[in-house]
Amino acid sequence: MRIVNNLGFAVPDILIPQKGTDLKKWAVIACDQYTSEPEYWENCEKEAGDAPSTLNLVLPEVYLNTAKETEKLESIAKTARKYLGEGILESLGTGFILTDRATELHPSRKGLMTAIDLEGYSFEPGNKNICRATEGTVLSRIPPRVRIRANSPLELPHIMILIDDPKGITIEKAFDMASAEGLEPLYDTDLMLGSGHIKGTFIPEDSSIAESIIEGLSTLKANNSDGLLFLVGDGNHSLASAKAHWENIRETLSEEERINHPARYALAEIVNIHDKGLDFEPIHRVVFNISSDEFIAKAMDYFKDCNIVTNGSDDSLQSFVVVSEGKEDVKISLANAPHTLAVGSVQMMIDSLGLECDYIHGEDSVRKLASEGNTGILVPGISKDTFFATVEKEGVFPRKTFSMGEAFEKRFYLEAKKIE
């Protein structure tokens, strides 16, 4: 592993399945997807069958607090050691992987596999680390993942890290260089259960492309006066678990051992926030057991010092829309909002008043739930252009602010890295 000083990452030694492995059966989606749909994971098991699969190396969160959780925790480490011992996983040597993901919604989403230095990452709100969380961390979700790391010699990432690279000087430039050199894909496979296709190209650490990647990231960091380079887009709880595991073992090591220990670095995919294949979808709210009239009255009182306007036409104001069955939508606008984002102002009100709510993807779903006697709140999406600046100002986004694409577009486990 090549340590890149002051940039918060290392060029890792990546493991991939040996030639001849059925990659469609090997790769499975992030463990925190389809948590209310056990049938999805049952179909994964049918698809993988007895073939080598990352399904045997991760704990789908649909199984948390069930008998299957215990079973999986006992088998993951054993299977990881088996895959290593039998040569099912092989080392590529030190380098990056350029990834290109296609789905039915987007023909391409480009990424870069590297390893994040956990010493440079923090999920504490308001921190000024080089790598930061974008939303609050639920500490109760960390222990099961730490238990896996504590016993397994491997990590498999579904972490997606964002960089703010509007000119495409890092990942996009690397793809152009790889194309000019005629590099062949390392892997090229469909993904199970209709989740599209992925290609990966290996970039050795001593290549001109690798040096260009490092130069691009160095330039991005130098151009940010806040010291920020990486934001966690997906998989924050996995990165937080990696951090917790590293802190557990760090105290047993000497200063010299800490620098190169593989558990200090977490494998992740970096994506440019400006990539056209990356969509940011707003996560709306539904408030239960309160009518829209009651909610609006409470909003008028809660935001009374914010120069509140209803059904105004000034698009420069911060706004959200209240929806309810059989009534016209009501647009509420704030001239002096308490939070940078409308979703933050709404969440502050919900939390302050102790209202019961759920977090909903898609306007149609919100309207359906609002038709059952509840009140829906539609919030605007987040601009990619102000995303990093908002984190710099607010620390983290309110919980459940955005989603990066649809569930089937989430990252699949394919590559691995040793952490022992």
Side-chain angles (χ1 to χ4, degrees):
M1 187 159 50
R2 174 183 173 185
I3 312 301
V4 183
N5 292 329
N6 303 318
L7 287 181
F9 75 97
V11 188
D13 183 350
I14 300 175
L15 308 175
I16 65 164
Q18 64 184 350
K19 288 184 179 180
T21 302
D22 187 337
L23 295 181
K24 188 175 181 181
K25 295 182 177 181
W26 169 263
V28 298
I29 205 163
C31 67
D32 57 354
Q33 298 302 304
Y34 301 104
T35 55
S36 298
E37 301 176 54
E39 62 275 10
Y40 176 91
W41 293 99
E42 291 166 4
N43 288 333
C44 285
E45 291 178 356
K46 292 176 184 177
E47 181 96 8
D50 294 329
S53 177
T54 58
L55 185 61
N56 302 318
L57 300 172
V58 299
L59 172 63
E61 292 190 358
V62 69
Y63 300 132
L64 289 177
N65 302 314
T66 70
K68 198 153 189 174
E69 175 183 351
T70 302
E71 175 187 330
K72 292 285 286 183
L73 286 172
E74 291 176 351
S75 67
I76 286 172
K78 180 179 179 181
T79 304
R81 296 184 191 283
K82 174 185 176 183
Y83 285 177
L84 286 172
E86 295 180 356
I88 293 172
L89 278 167
E90 298 179 332
S91 170
L92 293 173
T94 305
F96 300 105
I97 294 179
L98 294 175
T99 64
D100 195 356
R101 175 76 177 277
T103 70
E104 63 185 44
L105 299 180
H106 298 288
S108 176
R109 185 186 73 213
K110 293 178 172 61
L112 170 72
M113 292 299 302
T114 187
I116 297 297
D117 183 355
L118 295 168
E119 289 290 330
Y121 158 74
S122 175
F123 56 79
E124 295 296 331
N127 77 82
K128 294 299 181 181
N129 283 33
I130 194 170
C131 181
R132 306 173 198 173
T134 53
E135 62 179 3
T137 302
V138 182
L139 298 180
S140 63
R141 294 178 61 184
I142 294 176
R145 301 186 190 196
V146 173
R147 286 198 294 274
I148 293 173
R149 283 182 171 271
N151 294 301
S152 178
L154 294 174
E155 66 172 3
L156 294 94
H158 71 257
I159 301 160
M160 287 178 61
I161 301 289
L162 302 174
I163 56 173
D164 187 8
D165 186 4
K167 295 182 180 179
I169 65 172
T170 308
I171 298 172
E172 291 80 1
K173 182 179 178 181
F175 268 88
D176 289 342
M177 294 176 69
S179 177
E181 292 185 16
L183 298 185
E184 294 294 323
L186 172 70
Y187 56 75
D188 190 345
T189 183
D190 286 335
L191 297 169
M192 66 167 63
L193 303 180
S195 292
H197 192 92
I198 191 166
K199 292 190 292 186
T201 302
F202 181 63
I203 306 298
E205 67 158 320
D206 57 356
S207 66
S208 60
I209 302 176
E211 293 305 322
S212 175
I213 290 169
I214 294 171
E215 181 181 348
L217 291 172
S218 179
T219 299
L220 294 181
K221 181 178 183 293
N223 289 341
N224 187 297
S225 60
D226 193 54
L228 175 62
L229 179 59
F230 302 123
L231 284 179
V232 186
D234 267 343
N236 182 62
H237 288 89
S238 286
L239 198 60
S241 300
K243 174 89 170 183
H245 173 61
W246 166 239
E247 289 179 342
N248 286 342
I249 66 173
R250 181 178 57 188
E251 301 310 314
T252 67
L253 305 173
S254 67
E255 288 294 330
E256 184 175 351
E257 289 172 328
R258 291 176 185 178
I259 295 173
N260 294 296
H261 196 286
R264 174 174 168 168
Y265 304 90
L267 202 59
E269 179 182 5
I270 297 175
V271 178
N272 185 1
I273 194 172
H274 300 283
D275 191 295
K276 293 181 179 179
L278 184 64
D279 286 337
F280 278 69
E281 303 291 342
I283 302 179
H284 307 293
R285 270 64 174 156
V286 170
V287 184
F288 300 104
N289 304 315
I290 185 172
S291 70
S292 61
D293 289 341
E294 289 176 296
F295 181 86
I296 291 170
K298 289 181 180 293
M300 297 295 287
D301 180 62
Y302 183 82
F303 296 115
K304 62 181 181 292
D305 297 326
C306 300
N307 298 320
I308 190 168
V309 178
T310 57
N311 294 324
S313 58
D314 187 348
D315 292 336
S316 68
L317 301 181
Q318 185 184 103
S319 301
F320 57 91
V321 176
V322 180
V323 303
S324 186
E325 181 180 17
K327 296 182 179 180
E328 292 290 330
D329 293 354
V330 176
K331 179 181 178 182
I332 294 179
S333 302
L334 309 174
N336 184 27
H339 193 280
T340 304
L341 302 173
V343 65
S345 298
V346 168
Q347 192 64 50
M348 289 171 68
M349 173 186 163
I350 289 171
D351 292 343
S352 177
L353 300 180
L355 302 178
E356 179 187 359
C357 81
D358 198 4
Y359 307 95
I360 308 298
H361 299 258
E363 181 176 335
D364 290 344
S365 296
V366 173
R367 293 188 179 278
K368 179 181 177 182
L369 288 169
S371 71
E372 298 170 356
N374 307 308
T375 296
I377 304 147
L378 301 175
V379 295
I382 297 176
S383 168
K384 291 183 176 183
D385 294 330
T386 59
F387 191 91
F388 272 65
T390 301
V391 173
E392 290 173 22
K393 180 178 179 180
E394 299 288 353
V396 294
F397 288 110
R399 64 183 177 276
K400 301 293 185 181
T401 295
F402 67 93
S403 173
M404 295 202 319
E406 302 294 333
F408 65 86
E409 296 182 286
K410 301 299 183 181
R411 188 165 213 291
F412 271 60
Y413 302 109
L414 200 156
E415 305 88 352
K417 182 178 75 66
K418 290 182 180 179
I419 55 174
E420 283 187 345

